[in-house]
């Protein structure tokens, strides 16, 4: 079974490469591992894979530089990048996200968790290519319907303010993608529109209260901002 999905792994530890390649191939993905940052960058530019799994500490050039260069190039900027790193401090998460990575996983991670993230990133990429907006997002008990401007939790209609709706829609249409407070607010209200409260935390707090059991899907990333985590 081959899904036709090509994944490039830039990682210098043999044990991790073995586990990744084995698990990705078992899922029907083609996987290739490159051990140096500079070589990884070249291969990715040539082959334009569907997804990149990127270690941070690498010989050649480091993972953050690889990430930054891929995201700065229009040919490679839409390739999802999942950063995996042994450095799990918050500062590294912030840096990783600031450099445009799509997701971050701290080592050691389970192959199952990584595969779940890979699938989400691939789905998100596919979704953004096929349609500009998803009309109806469904995650367990939560339904976000952008055509009707409606939110349902366990079948019950939830009344949100326009800003709350836009925040929820922005998060829910980008599952697992981390947003800084500033980026989220600018996506939602823009720079020029004056809103009563530019403090995103106030809107999130109110949103969570209204979402009841679905509130857990809005995850706070300490020192960074928020992300929508449906599982
Ligand atoms: Ca390494």
């Amino acid at each position: 079974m081959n899904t036709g999905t090509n994944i490039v792994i830039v990682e210098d530890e043999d044990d991790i490469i073995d586990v990744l390649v084995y698990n990705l191939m078992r899922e029907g993905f083609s996987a290739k591992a490159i051990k140096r940052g500079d070589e990884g960058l070249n291969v990715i530019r040539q082959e334009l894979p569907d997804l990149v799994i990127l270690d941070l500490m690498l010989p050649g050039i480091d993972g953050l530089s690889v990430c930054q260069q891929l995201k700065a190039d229009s040919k490679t900027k839409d390739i999802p990048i999942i950063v995996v790193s042994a450095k799990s401090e918050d500062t590294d998460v912030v840096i990783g996200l600031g450099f445009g990575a799509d997701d971050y996983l701290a080592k050691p991670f389970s192959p199952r968790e990584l595969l779940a993230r890979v699938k989400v990133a691939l789905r998100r990429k596919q979704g953004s290519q096929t349609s500009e907006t998803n009309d109806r997002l469904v995650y367990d008990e939560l339904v976000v319907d952008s055509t009707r401007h409606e939110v349902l939790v366990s079948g019950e209609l939830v009344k949100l303010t326009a800003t709350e709706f836009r925040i929820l829609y922005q998060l829910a249409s980008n599952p697992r993608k981390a947003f800084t407070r500033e980026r989220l607010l600018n996506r939602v209200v823009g720079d020029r529109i004056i809103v009563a409260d530019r403090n995103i935390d106030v809107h999130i707090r109110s949103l969570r209260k209204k979402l009841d059991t679905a509130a857990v899907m809005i995850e706070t990333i300490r020192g960074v901002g928020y992300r929508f985590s449906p599982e």
Side-chain angles (χ1 to χ4, degrees):
M1 157 189 88
N2 190 314
T3 57
T5 302
N6 297 310
I7 297 176
V8 167
I9 302 158
V10 190
E11 166 68 74
D12 58 337
E13 284 167 65
D14 286 321
D15 294 353
I16 295 177
I17 292 172
D18 290 347
V19 171
L20 287 177
V21 170
Y22 172 77
N23 281 281
L24 291 168
M25 290 183 75
R26 218 173 53 158
E27 290 289 316
F29 301 126
S30 298
K32 171 189 271 190
I34 317 291
K35 291 188 179 182
R36 290 179 56 93
D38 44 359
E39 280 169 30
L41 194 56
N42 287 337
V43 169
I44 293 161
R45 282 175 172 156
Q46 272 164 28
E47 301 190 1
L48 301 175
D50 297 291
L51 183 126
V52 171
I53 296 171
L54 182 65
D55 183 24
L56 290 185
M57 303 287 278
L58 290 165
I61 57 172
D62 65 68
L64 287 179
S65 304
V66 173
C67 188
Q68 194 180 26
Q69 291 188 50
L70 290 174
K71 290 298 175 185
D73 184 341
S74 61
K75 255 172 64 188
T76 51
K77 73 173 171 46
D78 293 327
I79 301 172
I81 299 174
I82 299 177
V83 167
V84 291
S85 173
K87 303 194 295 174
S88 60
E89 297 89 34
D90 278 353
T91 48
D92 291 313
V93 178
V94 178
I95 294 165
L97 296 168
F99 278 72
D102 296 79
D103 205 348
Y104 179 96
L105 208 51
K107 289 177 187 173
F109 52 82
S110 74
R112 208 169 134 247
E113 173 70 5
L114 182 92
L115 283 175
R117 303 286 187 94
V118 164
K119 287 175 186 171
V120 167
L122 288 170
R123 262 205 307 273
R124 189 159 66 211
K125 183 179 172 234
Q126 226 157 33
S128 68
Q129 280 169 348
T130 48
S131 68
E132 276 292 286
T133 52
N134 267 326
D135 290 345
R136 198 176 155 87
L137 305 165
V138 182
Y139 297 102
D140 297 325
E141 73 267 39
L142 176 70
V143 178
V144 184
D145 190 322
S146 69
T147 316
R148 295 184 179 184
H149 228 264
E150 258 178 26
V151 173
L152 301 168
V153 175
S154 308
E156 297 280 322
L157 198 62
V158 178
K159 264 185 91 77
L160 299 182
T161 65
T163 305
E164 287 163 2
F165 182 87
R166 287 194 218 112
I167 291 170
L168 179 61
Y169 185 77
Q170 186 65 38
L171 289 169
S173 52
N174 296 281
R176 297 220 66 89
K177 191 172 177 76
F179 286 91
T180 62
R181 287 176 171 79
E182 196 188 2
R183 187 152 161 255
L184 186 57
L185 193 64
N186 283 336
R187 282 286 188 93
V188 168
V189 298
D191 292 326
R192 279 153 296 167
I193 301 166
I194 297 158
V195 285
D197 199 338
R198 285 192 71 87
N199 184 348
I200 199 94
D201 298 332
V202 172
H203 297 294
I204 294 271
R205 206 174 304 138
S206 164
L207 186 54
R208 278 184 174 143
K209 211 174 279 173
K210 293 176 182 179
L211 289 181
D212 195 37
T213 55
V216 291
M217 295 184 199
I218 299 176
E219 186 189 347
T220 304
I221 315 168
R222 198 156 53 89
V224 181
Y226 297 100
R227 86 171 144 202
F228 188 78
S229 298
E231 309 91 51

